[in-house]
Amino acid sequence: MASSPPSQLDAVFSALADPTRRAILSRLADGQATVNEIARPFEMSQPAVSKHLKVLEQAGLIERAVEAQRRPARLKAEAMADAVEWLTRFKAFWGDSFDQLDALLLTMNQTNDKDTDHG
């Protein structure tokens, strides 16, 4: 099980549910950036981007430093790693389900082939 408390995991998934915040995280995967640098590709105001950054920061997905008059944001991987760990538990389930579906489809195809050969 993930090491984050459930409320933290909920905050991570809630933050990741928004496509703008996912795009911001993708941008920060390339390195730290200021609000203005993050806002540049989006058609939104700096305050709107700041609100998204606040949600990401509260979820533990980013951290913001204070450097003179700049507050660059940087990706923080620990909270996302906990979410990935939680999701990984279901990977085996989906793999098993797809394996069962493959086996069923193979059986059905073999049955159809036999019916076609005798018909």
Side-chain angles (χ1 to χ4, degrees):
M1 184 86 171
S3 58
S4 291
S7 60
Q8 181 66 29
L9 198 56
D10 290 347
V12 169
F13 283 117
S14 179
L16 293 174
D18 185 276
T20 300
R21 290 193 285 268
R22 290 193 307 269
I24 290 170
L25 289 173
S26 293
R27 164 55 186 91
L28 293 176
D30 293 333
Q32 72 178 17
T34 64
V35 174
N36 287 333
E37 292 167 339
I38 293 167
R40 201 168 291 135
F42 300 104
E43 292 184 16
M44 66 176 64
S45 66
Q46 182 181 358
V49 171
S50 291
K51 287 181 183 180
H52 284 294
L53 291 174
K54 185 174 182 175
V55 171
L56 292 169
E57 191 171 15
Q58 289 173 339
L61 293 168
I62 67 166
E63 60 187 2
R64 299 187 67 193
V66 177
E67 298 175 0
Q69 294 188 11
R70 296 172 11 116
R71 288 200 63 212
R74 67 179 59 90
L75 190 61
K76 198 173 158 195
E78 296 84 11
M80 197 173 305
D82 289 341
V84 169
E85 181 181 326
W86 187 86
L87 288 169
T88 300
R89 295 181 333 160
F90 297 94
K91 184 177 180 182
F93 167 77
W94 286 110
D96 291 345
S97 295
F98 287 129
D99 290 344
Q100 291 172 4
L101 179 59
D102 286 342
L104 176 63
L105 292 173
L106 181 62
T107 302
M108 291 173 65
N109 284 338
Q110 289 172 346
T111 302
N112 286 341
D113 290 345
K114 287 179 185 176
D115 289 345
T116 304
D117 290 344
H118 293 105

